[in-house]
Amino acid sequence: MIKASSMSKAVAGTFMVLTGSVIAGMVTMVIFYKTEIAKMNPTPPPTMPSTTTRLPPVLRLPRDLIPQSYEVFLQPDFYTKIIEVVNVTSPNQTMHFTGNSTVSFHCVQGTRAIYLHSGDLAISDPVVVNRNKSEKVVVSSVKTHEYPSNFLEIQLEDALEEGVNYSLFLAFEGAINQSPYAMFVSTYVEGSPVYEGDQDTERFLVATTLEPTNARNVFPCFDEPDLKAVFHLTIIHRSHTQALGNAEVRKSNGIDHNWKVTYFHPTPKMSTYLFAFTVSEFTFTEPSSPGRVDIKTYARPDATRAGHAQYATDITEEILRFYEGYFEINYQQQKLTQLALPDLRAQAMENWGLVTYQEGRLLYEEGVSSLLHKEDIASIIAHELAHQWFGNLVTMKWWNDIWLNEGFATYFSILALDHVEPSFQLKESHIMSNLHTAFENDALASSHPLSPPPEDIQGTFEIEGMFDSIAYFKGAALLRMLADIVSETTFTKGIKMYLSDFKYKSTDQDDLWEYIQKAVYDDGGHTDVAKVMNTWTKQIGYPVITINTTNGEIYQKHFLFNDSSESNLWWELPIRVMSNAPKSSPIWLISSDKVQKDEFVSKKGEWILANVNCTGYYRVNYNSENWERLLTQLETNPNKIPRMNRAQLVDDAFNLARAKLVEVSLALNSTRFLRDETEFLPWKLAVRNLEYFVLMFDRSEVNGPMQAYLRQQVKGLYNYFRDYTDNSTVPEDHSSQHNQILAIEVACSNGLPECLEMATIMFAEWMNSNGTNQIHPNLRSVIYCQALAAGGRQEWDFAWEKFQSSIDTSEKEQLRQALSCTKKIWLLNRYLEYTLNPEKIRRMDVGPTISYIAENVAGQALAWNFIRAHWAYVQWDSIMLVQAVTSRFSTQFELAELEHFGAQYPLDAATMAVQQAIEQTQVNIQWVSENKDSALEWFERETAL
C-alpha cells in the first residue's frame, strides 16, 4: 500500500518550546500535556455545537487549506513482554497511545473553519497559530463527525486569511488495535515454550498499516492522497525497544531507565497513507553485497539468527538497482527498511522507506520452504519496490485512479523479476495468470471501470472495493497493450518523463496519457493515446472479436457471461494476427460495425490466429472451420502456435462456452491435446478453466465421468515426473517444478490410484518417523493435502499437532492449508470453530482458512453457514469469503439464500462482491441447465474410447 510527505523546518517559537519540554522534562506525554499546554493558555475544548457553519461537499475535504508539514509525537504504551506482578490477577499489558501533532498549512482561500480527519481519537487542546505573525487564532468550537466522513471540524472566531501560513496543534490519545489496522499490536513467540501456555516466550510489537484511510486513526491529518506533506516524527518508547520509521533515525536518547525518545529525519513529501513506524525487539539482516542505499530487513530474532531473511535482503538490492537503472531516477531515500511482521492485513504495504510484509511472504527457510517460495518472495518485493516510484514518488490524485499505483506495480514487478531471476522463467506465466484473473471478473455486468468518476468513490468501503483484480491485473494488462501499440521504447520514454516531471506530486490518468503522447510524437508516431485508452479505462469490461476466416469479416461486441445483458459498448483495439508467421503491425478495429479485412481470410485453408502473444485485452472467436484447424494444430504439432496462444486458445474456448458463444463440446475438445502436453503454461490454463466445470458439476452425476477423463488426460504428465515424485526429488527448472506439483494435484484429486498410494505412503512414513520429514519441501503442500483428503482423524490430528508446534512459517502455512482438505464433515466443522479462537488460528489467517475450507466440496456448505453465523467476526475478510463460499452456487435455492444475505446483512466493503456473486450465480444456473446433459454426454463418450 502507499505513502506520505515532507514538512517545513520553520516552526513557530511557541511550538519549539513545547517540543523541547516534551522530551526534556517528562517521562510520559500525559504529564507533558498537563504541565506544558497550560503555559500556552490554549482555548479549552468548548461545548460541541449540533450544527456546523459549512460542511465540505460530499465526503472530500475542501481545498482551502493545503498541508505542508507535520510534527508528530507519539508514545505507544505497551510492553514487549507481559510482566506478572504479585497480587495482580491479570497481566499488566497496556494497549494505549498518547501523542500530539502540529500540522503547518497554507491558506489558499479565506475560511472560518478547518476541516481535517480524525477517527477513534480523543482530541484536546486545539491551538491555531498565524505563523506569519506568530499570533494565535481563537478556536470557537470543535466537532468530531462520525463515519463515513470522520471530519474533525474546528470553527474559528476570525477567518483565516488567503496567502497566510498557519499551524494547528492538537493533543490526542487512542487505543492500540488488536486487529491489524491503523496502529496495532502483533504477537510472536521467541524461543520454545517450556510448557503449554508458557507466556515467557510471548513477545509483542506495535506497527502501523494506514492505507487507504487509517492515518486519521493514528493522528489528526488531511487524510487524502493528493494532500502531501513532509513528516517529522518523534517516538517515545520503552528503553529496550527499537523504533523504526519512514526516514532515518536522527538521534535516540534515554529519558530514564524505562523510556527513551527517538527522533527521525524528515520524510520526503508524501501522502498520509504511507506514514509508518514500528516499535519492537526485532533484529536485522543486511545484504551480502551492500550498495548505495542502506538496506535492512528486520524480523524475529530467531528468524534473523537462522538466516531466514537473507534471500529477501539480497534480492531487494538487485531489484532496487534494476528499477533505478530502468527509470533513470534513484530511490529517493538513504535507507530502505523491510519488516517481516507476524500479523498484517495485506500481504505487504509499500510505506516509503519502511515496507512491511506478512512474514510468510518474506522469509525463506532452507530445507523447509519450497524452492518455488523464492518466486513469491522476489515477486512481492518487486511489487512493493515498484511502488517506491509509482505511488510514493508519484501518487494518484484520488482513489478512483488507484490503478496508477497497483497496475504499474504489477506490470513492472514482472519485468523486474524476469531481470533479476531469469531462471524462474515466470514472465509468461504471470502475464497470463494476471490477464485471466482480470478477464473473469471483468466479464460481469456488475464490474466497474478501471478509472470510474471520482465522485463515485467516496467512503472507505467504496475505496477499499477499488483494490481488486481490475486495478491490479486489468491495469497491468492495459499497460502491456499500450506498450505494444506505441512500442516498448516509446512507452518507456513516456514513463520516464512522467515520473521525472511529477516527482512528489499527484496525477490522474489524463496526465499519464499526455506524457505517453509526448513520447509518441517525439518518436514520429501518430497514435491518439487518450482517445484509444479511454475506451478501455472509462467503461467496464472488454470485447470479444469474432472472425470469419472464409470472407474476412470481423466485428466486436461486449463480452459478458450473462447473454441477457444488453451492451452497446465498443473499444478501439489493435489486433495482431498470424498464420504461418506474424504480421509486422496491428490491424485496428475502431467501431462496433462489421468490417472485412483481407488479412483475416484463409486463402488456402490455413488457420488464422489473432491476438498473437496475447498483447490485447480481448477474447477471440472464430468460425467453426478455423476453430477446427487450430485445435487440430494443437493436437498434431502445438509448437507451431506460440506458447501463450496455446494457453489462450483453451481459455477463450472455455469462456466463450460459458458465455454461450460456442458449444461446450468445442471447449472440451480443446483439452484433448493435454494427453501429450508437458509444458506448464498450457496445462495451467487448461486446469484453471476445467475448474469451472468441477465447481459446477462436482455435486452431480457428471463428476464421475469428468474425473475419469481427467485421470486419463493427466496420467501421461504424472508419469513424466514419476521418477522424481516417487523419490521425493524435483526437476531443476522452475517451470517443470510447477508442472510436477500440478500433475500430483490433478492426478490425486481425481483418484489416480498410483498418486493416492504415493501420497498416503509418504505421509504415513512421516507420521511414523519420530519427526523426520523426508517429503521434499516443494511437494509438501500438495502431498499433505492429498494425504489428509484420503485419510481420517489420525492423519488430521497429526497434522494439527504439527501445525501447533511448528515455529517454521512455511511449514505452518502448508499445514494450515492442508488441514482444510479432509473429506470428513465433522473435522471440517471443528476446524471452522477453531478459526474463532485467535490462540489457534491467527486473526489474519481466519479469512484464508475459511476460504480453503470452502474450496473443498465437502466444506463449501459448512463455510457458507459458518460465515453467516459469525459475520461480525469474519467480516474483516468479507470480500475474500463471499467469493470463496459462492463459487459453486448454481441452484435457485442458493441464489435465494445469497439474495437474502445481501439484503439482511451489513455488507460494507463486500457490497460489490455480493452483487457480482448474485450475477455469477444467475449465470451459473442458466449455464448448468443448458449444458449439463451435453457435458455428461461428452465425458462419457471420451472415457468410453
Side-chain angles (χ1 to χ4, degrees), residues 833-888:
E833 292 298 325
Y834 284 175
T835 65
L836 299 176
N837 183 349
E839 296 296 318
K840 288 183 166 66
I841 301 295
R842 297 187 81 96
R843 185 66 188 82
M844 73 171 188
D845 292 330
V846 169
T849 301
I850 299 173
S851 296
Y852 291 147
I853 295 169
E855 291 171 10
N856 183 342
V857 64
Q860 180 265 325
L862 304 177
W864 172 226
N865 290 335
F866 184 83
I867 70 164
R868 287 180 292 172
H870 303 283
W871 185 245
Y873 186 76
V874 305
Q875 193 176 3
W876 184 265
D877 298 301
S878 57
I879 296 174
M880 173 197 305
L881 291 171
V882 166
Q883 292 169 342
V885 299
T886 63
S887 61
R888 279 186 175 83

Side-chain angles (χ1 to χ4, degrees), residues 248-264:
E248 294 175 286
V249 172
R250 182 162 58 87
K251 63 178 179 177
S252 189
N253 300 329
I255 298 175
D256 57 24
H257 70 281
N258 288 322
W259 298 95
K260 67 180 176 182
V261 57
T262 297
Y263 305 84
F264 293 89

Side-chain angles (χ1 to χ4, degrees), residues 43 53-54 64-65 105 107 109-114 128-130 133 135-141 154-162 164 166-167:
T43 304
T53 57
R54 181 177 61 83
D64 43 21
L65 306 175
F105 53 86
C107 180
Q109 181 177 344
T111 177
R112 298 182 93 96
I114 300 172
V128 178
V129 170
N130 180 323
K133 299 179 179 179
E135 295 177 353
K136 285 198 295 183
V137 180
V138 177
V139 174
S140 60
S141 68
I154 300 174
Q155 293 288 336
L156 307 171
E157 288 194 4
D158 299 310
L160 303 181
E161 300 174 35
E162 180 180 332
V164 176
Y166 294 88
S167 61

